[in-house]
Amino acid sequence: MLKLLLAIAVGIVGAALLHLVIVLSLPTFSDRDAYSRVLSEGEAFTFHILDQKPDAAGLAQEDPFLETAVCSFDTEERPVQLTAGSGVPFWSLAVYDPASNETFSINDRTSSGGKLDVIIATPLQATALRKAMPEGLNQSILIESAQTQGYAVLRAMAPQPSYRPLAAAFLSSAGCQPAE
Amino acid sequence: MLRVPLLIAISLAIAFGGGIWSTLVALEATIGFGAIKLGAWEAFPQAQTRNADPYAKSHRANAGKLLYGTAEGLTFTAAVDDSGARLDGNCSYRLSGHTPPARLWSLFTNDANGRPPAENAELPAALNSRTVLRSADGGFVVTISASAQPNNWLAVAPAQPFRLVLTLFDTPTAGSSGLIDLSMPKVEKIGCGNA
């Protein structure tokens, strides 16, 4: 009887250990996290507009009023520039690293002139850019991130059905390209 | 003779079964620690940051959702009403009051799969701060019910549990630590069945 109780106690301790191991290691091994899903949306350096229903990659609009697009990028060789116009009641951008930690977020009121113009660069690239800012980039917001890989999520609000074409046009005109 | 292998088998079964089961339950039940609770509503302003706790990081790696950044918005969810009873499609609820300061907000219900309603649904399954009808003081009253209601009506599927999702966009709430003083709309049950 005592041995049975001991066996159960050992089992519970083992269960607690396994619980901790799974919780701590899941972020490293998960293949259904947001970054993997954004990568399987398709090619990098372009905004993929998400559907209402989850697509093959498993991503979908999380809010019925927010049209959403995602773009994965890699700043290993060159910084990436995210651009978009204006004309929607609300837009917002969030940039994440591969572990889905937020590195930067902005919305239309916190940007200059309501337009999206953001450059993500490694610290080395950012120093080079600051030294000699190319002509077209001096209005851009420069973000330093030591992580070279990541993804951006751009959302545009369509509070009423008549705004939907505006939001769709906003997202399809958004750029996510390596900066020249 | 077989007692020692049996005891080892019991230990291993409890360790693996219990470990996997408790992890699945924990990741399903909560988004992590550090929730802000305001009445029936809860929000996780740290869930998308580097400072999120291991459970939150594990949950978001497993769920694979696109979270809101700090400048974007903050999502409050409610699975229970103010008395603590689970929200159910058989009952009608009244949501009344004000939201914390925000430029815009949206309100909808998630179904059992955690999916929002389609925006072109025939019933009003989602409201936002521009389409809601307000009273003279800027507050609003929304009736959440499976059958049609006057004034603001949020349609839910009958006889199914649901979860209310209220997202505040461009809100100082997301970056503030004084959240406890904020007031969220009340969620009261007003009747069940056909009563």
Side-chain angles (χ1 to χ4, degrees):
Chain A
M1 194 61 206
L2 203 65
K3 280 193 177 156
L4 184 65
L5 285 179
L6 184 70
I8 291 173
V10 168
I12 290 172
V13 171
L17 272 177
L18 190 64
H19 177 92
L20 289 179
V21 169
I22 298 177
V23 165
L24 291 175
S25 63
L26 190 68
T28 325
F29 294 111
S30 178
D31 58 352
R32 43 191 293 199
D33 63 311
Y35 183 56
S36 315
R37 288 179 173 183
V38 171
L39 283 183
S40 53
E41 275 291 323
E43 52 184 304
F45 295 113
T46 170
F47 271 112
H48 299 276
I49 298 176
L50 301 180
D51 212 10
Q52 297 258 327
K53 298 251 161 59
D55 51 21
L59 290 175
Q61 268 178 243
E62 299 290 344
D63 188 301
F65 299 112
L66 280 186
E67 309 278 325
T68 309
V70 293
C71 164
S72 59
F73 57 80
D74 189 341
T75 57
E76 179 77 51
E77 284 166 23
R78 264 196 266 153
V80 63
Q81 186 177 24
L82 306 172
T83 52
S86 53
V88 285
F90 173 81
W91 62 254
S92 67
L93 171 90
V95 180
Y96 294 95
D97 70 6
S100 291
N101 293 313
E102 177 189 351
T103 44
F104 178 72
S105 66
I106 191 173
N107 63 45
D108 53 345
R109 287 274 171 88
T110 47
S111 70
S112 70
K115 289 203 160 117
L116 172 64
D117 188 356
V118 165
I119 294 177
I120 303 157
T122 60
L124 207 63
Q125 292 162 348
T127 316
L129 273 177
R130 280 204 197 90
K131 250 189 218 161
M133 201 60 156
E135 199 40 47
L137 300 183
N138 45 17
Q139 290 294 313
S140 308
I141 299 172
L142 188 59
I143 304 157
E144 278 183 35
S145 171
Q147 284 271 6
T148 54
Q149 292 170 321
Y151 65 97
V153 184
L154 183 63
R155 297 176 166 98
M157 181 170 252
Q160 276 144 336
S162 56
Y163 281 98
R164 246 174 262 154
L166 279 178
F170 173 84
L171 289 186
S172 51
S173 73
C176 173
Q177 283 115 19
E180 291 307 317
Chain B
M1 187 67 174
L2 279 172
R3 278 193 57 189
V4 172
L6 181 71
L7 290 175
I8 293 174
I10 289 175
S11 295
L12 286 178
I14 292 176
F16 279 90
I20 292 168
W21 172 81
S22 65
T23 312
L24 289 177
V25 168
L27 292 185
E28 184 65 35
T30 176
I31 299 178
F33 298 107
I36 296 161
K37 290 213 165 93
L38 295 166
W41 301 94
E42 52 178 17
F44 297 87
Q46 301 269 306
Q48 83 287 6
T49 64
R50 201 174 295 277
N51 301 328
D53 62 86
Y55 280 92
K57 286 188 174 168
S58 209
H59 177 91
R60 76 181 180 208
N62 193 39
K65 290 200 169 186
L66 302 171
L67 301 172
Y68 290 108
T70 313
E72 302 195 272
L74 183 64
T75 299
F76 284 86
T77 56
V80 295
D81 63 14
D82 280 348
S83 69
R86 273 200 76 82
L87 297 174
D88 189 273
N90 277 329
C91 300
S92 298
Y93 299 88
R94 185 193 296 119
L95 182 103
S96 58
H98 296 262
T99 64
R103 234 169 86 203
L104 294 153
W105 51 258
S106 74
L107 173 72
F108 56 91
T109 57
N110 268 356
D111 61 14
N113 299 326
R115 292 298 316 151
E119 70 187 317
N120 51 6
E122 286 164 355
L123 298 177
L127 292 168
N128 63 49
S129 53
R130 291 208 176 182
T131 57
V132 76
L133 302 170
R134 292 170 189 268
S135 55
D137 67 347
F140 55 90
V141 177
V142 178
T143 311
I144 302 155
S145 174
S147 51
Q149 302 290 329
N151 221 327
N152 294 309
W153 172 40
L154 194 67
V156 292
Q160 273 180 28
F162 63 92
R163 206 177 263 264
L164 282 169
V165 182
L166 176 63
T167 312
L168 307 173
F169 297 106
D170 194 5
T171 172
T173 315
S176 130
S177 55
L179 275 161
I180 312 305
D181 298 334
L182 297 168
S183 71
M184 288 291 288
K186 284 188 295 217
V187 187
E188 297 158 301
K189 189 186 280 187
I190 49 178
C192 286
N194 293 319

